[in-house]
Amino acid sequence: MEDAVLTSSSSYIEDGRLITIKEYLLPDGSTIVDTMSVSAVATLSSEGRDTATRTRKLSDWGTITITATFDWYTEGAFSYVKCVDMDATKRLSSGAVASKWEKSSTSDYVSLGKAKAQVSYYIYDKDIPTNHTDGTFTITCSDSVTISDNA
């Protein structure tokens, strides 16, 4: 995603969820469609919980989805956040193989920082192994309750 160019971005609210869709063009001509869904109102509270879902559609490779639940609260002058649950799934195109699929999350409360849920991946073409895509796909939640795609 380092050399990706953002070609479009749109947001809308549906059923109380803020949906943001970003489309990127990569130097090789392939595209990525990144969709993020978070509560439209939960993050306005100093204490709460929200489940965020982020999906990345990698042209020719398949789709990766992360679903993460974040808890946050404020005590005195400090705010705390942690990822209480996360899962990452993949639906790969025919011929695509994931040789790396490492899920991780921040399971302890963090103050003055961000909790995250992420998956690091390396996907290659089984017929042409030098043809590949790789990266780290993340959802973050700051102690000030900003849930983000970190992009």
Side-chain angles (χ1 to χ4, degrees):
M1 294 283 295
E2 294 170 5
D3 298 324
V5 175
L6 179 65
T7 57
S8 72
S9 179
S10 63
S11 297
Y12 61 93
I13 294 176
E14 181 178 288
D15 297 328
R17 307 289 297 167
L18 173 63
I19 314 293
T20 303
I21 301 170
K22 296 178 183 177
E23 295 184 30
Y24 298 89
L25 179 63
L26 299 175
D28 66 2
S30 62
T31 59
I32 293 175
V33 178
D34 202 323
T35 304
M36 180 90 156
S37 169
V38 299
S39 171
V41 295
T43 58
L44 302 176
S45 170
S46 62
E47 187 170 320
R49 174 181 277 207
D50 187 27
T51 299
T53 301
R54 185 174 179 204
T55 301
R56 178 178 284 178
K57 185 177 184 313
L58 305 162
S59 65
D60 301 329
W61 297 105
T63 302
I64 297 170
T65 301
I66 295 178
T67 302
T69 301
F70 295 97
D71 266 347
W72 61 87
Y73 71 94
T74 300
E75 187 174 288
F78 295 98
S79 298
Y80 301 88
V81 63
K82 75 174 178 176
C83 180
V84 294
D85 188 41
M86 78 84 67
D87 192 27
T89 60
K90 59 188 176 298
R91 276 191 349 251
L92 299 179
S93 301
S94 177
V97 177
S99 63
K100 177 182 177 184
W101 187 257
E102 298 173 358
K103 300 183 275 188
S104 62
S105 64
T106 307
S107 58
D108 293 328
Y109 278 106
V110 174
S111 180
L112 303 174
K114 295 179 180 181
K116 66 181 177 181
Q118 72 179 22
V119 61
S120 296
Y121 61 90
Y122 185 97
I123 302 169
Y124 68 92
D125 183 324
K126 71 176 181 180
D127 295 327
I128 309 169
T130 57
N131 190 12
H132 72 277
T133 187
D134 63 310
T136 301
F137 188 47
T138 307
I139 299 174
T140 62
C141 184
S142 72
D143 66 323
S144 60
V145 197
T146 302
I147 299 177
S148 168
D149 62 8
N150 230 24

